[in-house]
Amino acid sequence: MDLPSLYRLIDLQPEMADRLARVGGELDMERLEPCLAQLLERDAAARGYEGLRALLGEDAGGLGMLYCQLECARRAWERYRERGIGPAVYRDTMRCFPRFLAECRERNGRMFFDRGWWTYRQTSMGLFRLGTLEYELQERDGERSVAVHIPSDADLSPAAVDGSLDRADRFFRAQAPAYGEGGYSCHSWLLSPALTPLLSGDSRILAFQRRFRIVREDPGDREYIQWLFRVPEGTAAEAFPEGTSLQRGVKALVLGGGAVGSALGVMDR
């Protein structure tokens, strides 16, 4: 697969594809190659990202980083095939790139790449999208588990979540059985207990919360601002949009001195 084919497969924004064609012609790929190789290996991907960031220097709009990470995503295609992972999982996983670009444009009014610190998980095959949710292999203190992530376009209906979890169970039994045995965890603002009184009984968010046992809360976390309100994290509460009932409820909570934060939940499978 070449880069233009990858761009079409993942529905990369055409204007971004045009910009990347110019950027790619200006990069010294031979000098960057050691970092690209690291971005393909789960244990080395974080170091590869840091090394690449240093080599790229003043990277206008993050486009050099985006080009390099998409080149690594292109190379990962063959690794998926070698492991017997279907093209649909590859496509859905790598569609994180245009999704992040669209989110950036929605929050900031222009499109640039600010998620290189995250997407090396996809290029190194440490994170996969299976249905409506994403799943990341994790290892801490010698214990292996799977972290659940909630993409901004996730369908949190019980049927969609059930289908995704069932797919994940089958996927990890085949691809990484040692991780699937450790259960699932999720750290998100959507699990915050502060949201519970703001949600109706038939809320999809509430149904998702009930799947997890909360083990830690982080009331100081402010990630909810960019995900719920789709504005930069530094936006003042007075300027939060009020387009949905949850936005209105959270805005009133914060203006009244309350906090949303986030929470870590675990799910035994």
Side-chain angles (χ1 to χ4, degrees):
M1 179 187 295
D2 57 19
L3 279 173
S5 297
L6 171 65
Y7 297 166
R8 290 190 295 271
L9 179 67
I10 65 175
D11 297 320
L12 187 72
Q13 292 86 345
E15 64 269 35
M16 184 56 72
D18 291 341
R19 293 167 66 184
L20 289 175
R22 294 190 294 272
V23 169
E26 299 170 354
L27 292 175
D28 182 351
M29 298 304 290
E30 183 175 352
R31 185 171 71 105
L32 301 176
E33 180 58 36
C35 295
L36 301 186
Q38 288 181 311
L39 285 174
L40 291 165
E41 304 297 335
R42 193 156 54 86
D43 292 339
R47 296 195 304 275
Y49 163 71
E50 293 296 342
L52 189 58
R53 195 158 66 98
L55 289 174
L56 290 171
E58 187 176 346
D59 182 19
L63 297 189
M65 179 65 72
L66 177 59
Y67 181 90
C68 290
Q69 293 213 5
L70 285 170
E71 165 60 20
C72 291
R74 182 193 70 79
R75 298 181 189 184
W77 169 258
E78 288 300 326
R79 297 190 173 205
Y80 269 71
R81 293 184 61 186
E82 291 168 1
R83 287 179 52 176
I85 303 174
V89 174
Y90 173 87
R91 182 194 64 233
D92 291 348
T93 299
M94 299 307 175
R95 277 181 172 168
C96 66
F97 289 98
R99 185 177 77 246
F100 288 153
L101 290 168
E103 291 168 359
C104 178
R105 179 163 52 188
E106 184 178 14
R107 287 194 305 270
N108 301 283
R110 61 189 182 92
M111 188 163 55
F112 54 91
F113 185 59
D114 59 355
R115 297 299 175 87
W117 56 271
W118 181 261
T119 47
Y120 63 74
R121 294 163 173 81
Q122 283 86 345
T123 64
S124 64
M125 299 181 70
L127 186 153
F128 304 89
R129 183 158 187 173
L130 304 168
T132 196
L133 300 172
E134 293 177 330
Y135 300 85
E136 181 183 1
L137 303 176
Q138 289 192 336
E139 186 168 354
R140 293 178 180 172
D141 300 325
E143 294 187 4
R144 296 173 176 176
S145 63
V146 176
V148 178
H149 301 297
I150 310 164
S152 61
D153 61 351
D155 174 2
L156 290 184
S157 67
V161 174
D162 283 343
S164 179
L165 290 169
D166 288 343
R167 284 185 65 182
D169 287 344
R170 295 193 300 272
F171 181 86
F172 290 112
R173 278 199 298 270
Q175 294 292 333
Y179 288 86
E181 293 174 357
Y184 296 161
S185 64
C186 181
H187 184 198
S188 173
W189 69 276
L190 287 168
L191 295 187
S192 170
L195 296 180
T196 305
L198 306 178
L199 300 169
S200 62
D202 59 353
S203 164
R204 294 181 177 188
I205 296 175
L206 189 57
F208 186 79
Q209 283 186 350
R210 289 170 176 159
R211 297 174 184 268
F212 294 87
R213 173 170 48 86
I214 302 302
V215 296
R216 190 181 75 237
E217 295 181 40
D218 183 3
D221 194 330
R222 292 169 58 83
E223 70 168 6
Y224 73 92
I225 296 175
Q226 61 174 312
W227 298 120
L228 175 59
F229 295 104
R230 306 298 177 93
V231 296
E233 194 169 294
T235 302
E238 290 81 3
F240 288 169
E242 300 183 41
T244 69
S245 59
L246 183 56
Q247 287 179 337
R248 293 189 292 272
V250 168
K251 182 175 182 177
L253 172 68
V254 175
L255 288 175
V260 175
S262 63
L264 173 67
V266 296
M267 177 197 307
D268 297 324
R269 296 291 289 170

